[in-house]
Short mmCIF file of all heavy atoms in Angstrom, two decimals:
data_model
loop_
_atom_site.label_atom_id
_atom_site.label_comp_id
_atom_site.label_asym_id
_atom_site.label_seq_id
_atom_site.Cartn_x
_atom_site.Cartn_y
_atom_site.Cartn_z
N LYS H 133 59.21 -80.54 -33.75
CA LYS H 133 59.55 -81.18 -35.02
C LYS H 133 59.75 -80.15 -36.11
O LYS H 133 60.59 -80.29 -36.99
CB LYS H 133 58.46 -82.16 -35.42
CG LYS H 133 58.35 -83.34 -34.46
CD LYS H 133 57.22 -84.26 -34.88
CE LYS H 133 57.10 -85.44 -33.90
NZ LYS H 133 55.97 -86.34 -34.27
N GLU H 134 58.96 -79.11 -36.11
CA GLU H 134 59.07 -78.13 -37.17
C GLU H 134 60.39 -77.37 -37.12
O GLU H 134 60.92 -76.96 -38.13
CB GLU H 134 57.90 -77.13 -37.09
CG GLU H 134 56.56 -77.78 -37.42
CD GLU H 134 55.42 -76.80 -37.28
OE1 GLU H 134 55.70 -75.64 -36.94
OE2 GLU H 134 54.26 -77.18 -37.50
N LEU H 135 60.92 -77.16 -35.93
CA LEU H 135 62.15 -76.38 -35.79
C LEU H 135 63.39 -77.28 -35.66
O LEU H 135 64.48 -76.81 -35.38
CB LEU H 135 62.06 -75.48 -34.57
CG LEU H 135 61.08 -74.32 -34.70
CD1 LEU H 135 61.00 -73.57 -33.39
CD2 LEU H 135 61.44 -73.41 -35.85
N ASN H 136 63.18 -78.62 -35.89
CA ASN H 136 64.27 -79.57 -35.76
C ASN H 136 64.90 -79.54 -34.37
O ASN H 136 66.12 -79.70 -34.23
CB ASN H 136 65.39 -79.31 -36.80
CG ASN H 136 65.12 -80.03 -38.10
OD1 ASN H 136 64.55 -81.11 -38.08
ND2 ASN H 136 65.50 -79.42 -39.21
N TRP H 137 64.11 -79.26 -33.42
CA TRP H 137 64.60 -79.31 -32.04
C TRP H 137 64.33 -80.69 -31.50
O TRP H 137 63.33 -81.31 -31.82
CB TRP H 137 63.92 -78.26 -31.17
CG TRP H 137 64.42 -76.88 -31.53
CD1 TRP H 137 65.43 -76.55 -32.36
CD2 TRP H 137 63.87 -75.66 -31.02
NE1 TRP H 137 65.61 -75.22 -32.44
CE2 TRP H 137 64.65 -74.62 -31.60
CE3 TRP H 137 62.84 -75.33 -30.15
CZ2 TRP H 137 64.41 -73.30 -31.33
CZ3 TRP H 137 62.63 -74.02 -29.88
CH2 TRP H 137 63.40 -72.98 -30.47
N ARG H 138 65.17 -81.13 -30.63
CA ARG H 138 65.00 -82.44 -30.04
C ARG H 138 63.86 -82.39 -29.06
O ARG H 138 63.90 -81.62 -28.12
CB ARG H 138 66.30 -82.89 -29.35
CG ARG H 138 66.24 -84.33 -28.80
CD ARG H 138 67.60 -84.78 -28.28
NE ARG H 138 68.10 -83.87 -27.28
CZ ARG H 138 67.80 -84.00 -25.96
NH1 ARG H 138 67.04 -84.96 -25.55
NH2 ARG H 138 68.31 -83.12 -25.11
N CYS H 139 62.91 -83.24 -29.35
CA CYS H 139 61.72 -83.25 -28.50
C CYS H 139 62.00 -84.11 -27.30
O CYS H 139 62.48 -85.23 -27.42
CB CYS H 139 60.55 -83.80 -29.29
SG CYS H 139 58.98 -83.52 -28.46
N SER H 140 61.71 -83.62 -26.18
CA SER H 140 61.98 -84.32 -24.92
C SER H 140 60.68 -84.87 -24.38
O SER H 140 59.79 -84.14 -23.97
CB SER H 140 62.59 -83.36 -23.91
OG SER H 140 62.77 -83.98 -22.68
N ASN H 141 60.59 -86.21 -24.39
CA ASN H 141 59.40 -86.87 -23.88
C ASN H 141 59.67 -87.61 -22.57
O ASN H 141 58.79 -88.28 -22.06
CB ASN H 141 58.86 -87.87 -24.90
CG ASN H 141 58.31 -87.17 -26.14
OD1 ASN H 141 57.82 -86.06 -26.02
ND2 ASN H 141 58.42 -87.82 -27.28
N GLN H 142 60.87 -87.50 -22.10
CA GLN H 142 61.15 -88.18 -20.85
C GLN H 142 60.48 -87.46 -19.69
O GLN H 142 60.13 -86.31 -19.78
CB GLN H 142 62.66 -88.31 -20.61
CG GLN H 142 63.37 -86.99 -20.31
CD GLN H 142 63.91 -86.33 -21.58
OE1 GLN H 142 63.45 -86.68 -22.68
NE2 GLN H 142 64.83 -85.41 -21.45
N THR H 143 60.38 -88.16 -18.59
CA THR H 143 59.71 -87.61 -17.40
C THR H 143 60.56 -86.53 -16.76
O THR H 143 61.77 -86.41 -17.01
CB THR H 143 59.45 -88.74 -16.38
OG1 THR H 143 60.70 -89.33 -16.04
CG2 THR H 143 58.54 -89.80 -16.97
N TYR H 144 59.90 -85.78 -15.92
CA TYR H 144 60.53 -84.63 -15.27
C TYR H 144 61.49 -85.09 -14.18
O TYR H 144 61.17 -85.96 -13.38
CB TYR H 144 59.45 -83.72 -14.68
CG TYR H 144 60.00 -82.65 -13.77
CD1 TYR H 144 60.65 -81.53 -14.30
CD2 TYR H 144 59.91 -82.79 -12.39
CE1 TYR H 144 61.15 -80.56 -13.47
CE2 TYR H 144 60.41 -81.80 -11.57
CZ TYR H 144 61.02 -80.70 -12.10
OH TYR H 144 61.51 -79.74 -11.28
N THR H 145 62.66 -84.48 -14.17
CA THR H 145 63.64 -84.75 -13.11
C THR H 145 63.89 -83.48 -12.34
O THR H 145 63.95 -82.39 -12.92
CB THR H 145 64.96 -85.26 -13.72
OG1 THR H 145 65.45 -84.28 -14.64
CG2 THR H 145 64.76 -86.59 -14.42
N PRO H 146 64.07 -83.59 -11.02
CA PRO H 146 64.27 -82.38 -10.22
C PRO H 146 65.51 -81.63 -10.68
O PRO H 146 66.56 -82.22 -10.97
CB PRO H 146 64.41 -82.93 -8.82
CG PRO H 146 63.75 -84.26 -8.85
CD PRO H 146 64.01 -84.81 -10.20
N GLY H 147 65.34 -80.29 -10.69
CA GLY H 147 66.44 -79.40 -11.05
C GLY H 147 66.51 -79.09 -12.52
O GLY H 147 67.17 -78.12 -12.92
N ALA H 148 65.88 -79.87 -13.38
CA ALA H 148 65.90 -79.62 -14.83
C ALA H 148 64.49 -79.33 -15.31
O ALA H 148 63.54 -80.00 -14.94
CB ALA H 148 66.45 -80.82 -15.57
N ILE H 149 64.35 -78.25 -16.09
CA ILE H 149 63.04 -77.83 -16.60
C ILE H 149 63.06 -77.93 -18.10
O ILE H 149 63.97 -77.43 -18.78
CB ILE H 149 62.72 -76.39 -16.16
CG1 ILE H 149 62.73 -76.27 -14.64
CG2 ILE H 149 61.38 -75.95 -16.73
CD1 ILE H 149 62.52 -74.87 -14.16
N ASP H 150 62.08 -78.60 -18.64
CA ASP H 150 61.90 -78.66 -20.09
C ASP H 150 61.03 -77.46 -20.50
O ASP H 150 59.83 -77.43 -20.25
CB ASP H 150 61.23 -79.98 -20.46
CG ASP H 150 61.15 -80.15 -21.98
OD1 ASP H 150 61.71 -79.29 -22.69
OD2 ASP H 150 60.50 -81.10 -22.43
N TRP H 151 61.62 -76.43 -21.12
CA TRP H 151 60.91 -75.20 -21.44
C TRP H 151 60.07 -75.29 -22.69
O TRP H 151 59.26 -74.41 -22.96
CB TRP H 151 61.93 -74.07 -21.61
CG TRP H 151 62.63 -73.74 -20.33
CD1 TRP H 151 63.83 -74.21 -19.91
CD2 TRP H 151 62.16 -72.85 -19.33
NE1 TRP H 151 64.18 -73.69 -18.69
CE2 TRP H 151 63.13 -72.82 -18.30
CE3 TRP H 151 61.01 -72.07 -19.16
CZ2 TRP H 151 63.00 -72.06 -17.16
CZ3 TRP H 151 60.89 -71.30 -18.03
CH2 TRP H 151 61.85 -71.30 -17.03
N SER H 152 60.27 -76.35 -23.48
CA SER H 152 59.52 -76.40 -24.73
C SER H 152 58.01 -76.48 -24.54
O SER H 152 57.27 -75.82 -25.28
CB SER H 152 60.02 -77.59 -25.59
OG SER H 152 59.86 -78.81 -24.86
N PRO H 153 57.48 -77.23 -23.58
CA PRO H 153 56.02 -77.18 -23.39
C PRO H 153 55.50 -75.83 -22.92
O PRO H 153 54.32 -75.53 -23.08
CB PRO H 153 55.76 -78.26 -22.34
CG PRO H 153 56.95 -79.15 -22.38
CD PRO H 153 58.11 -78.27 -22.73
#
Side-chain angles (χ1 to χ4, degrees):
K133 294 178 181 178
E134 292 178 0
L135 290 175
N136 273 326
W137 288 352
R138 185 173 56 87
C139 192
S140 176
N141 292 329
Q142 70 268 19
T143 59
Y144 169 76
T145 58
I149 301 176
D150 186 6
W151 293 95
S152 58

